[in-house]
Amino acid sequence: MSVLVIVDRSPYGSWSGRESMDMALSLAAFDQPVTLLFSGVGVNWLRAGQDPAGIFQKAVERNLAAAPIFGIGALLADQQSLEDFGLDASQCVTGVMPVTVEPTLLARFDDVVCL
């Protein structure tokens, strides 16, 4: 069973994005093939060098850095969303792969989850 977890929520201000990340890390820890896809405002998770101390939050970069350690197969980013938010791969954390989100991409996975 391969799972695509779509993160389409901001990294700060709501727990939905963090819940998606926790779900992906938990699945991967139990040897389930998991891929993360960041889309819409969710691509802001991928910005390198975030400092959310001013809003009393922890940076999400550490969570993303742990993804390969837990066995998450890939960190995908919707190319259109990256462009919409003024990001390119060089401004993202290491290991992000921009992709075009289309039905053939989603069809590669047994389950697609978006919280």
Side-chain angles (χ1 to χ4, degrees):
M1 172 182 89
S2 61
V3 180
L4 176 68
V5 177
I6 300 174
V7 179
D8 64 353
R9 305 294 173 109
S10 173
Y12 310 106
S14 166
W15 290 107
S16 295
R18 289 187 184 266
E19 288 171 350
S20 296
M21 178 64 70
D22 288 345
M23 177 202 245
L25 292 171
S26 295
L27 286 166
F30 286 98
D31 296 324
Q32 299 299 311
V34 179
T35 298
L36 283 165
L37 169 63
F38 296 86
S39 179
V41 71
V43 296
N44 288 298
W45 276 77
L46 305 173
R47 288 182 187 271
Q50 296 181 40
D51 183 12
I55 58 171
F56 305 104
Q57 296 280 313
K58 292 183 180 180
V60 296
E61 272 186 75
R62 295 171 95 184
N63 298 87
L64 295 171
I69 296 167
F70 276 83
I72 292 179
L75 300 176
L76 307 178
D78 174 34
Q79 179 65 48
Q80 185 61 54
S81 296
L82 289 172
E83 291 171 14
D84 291 347
F85 285 90
L87 287 169
D88 63 43
S90 69
Q91 297 168 302
C92 293
V93 297
T94 304
V96 173
M97 182 177 16
V99 296
T100 300
V101 177
E102 54 191 12
T104 56
L105 171 69
L106 303 179
R108 294 187 345 215
F109 298 91
D110 296 318
D111 294 299
V112 177
V113 179
C114 184
L115 298 178

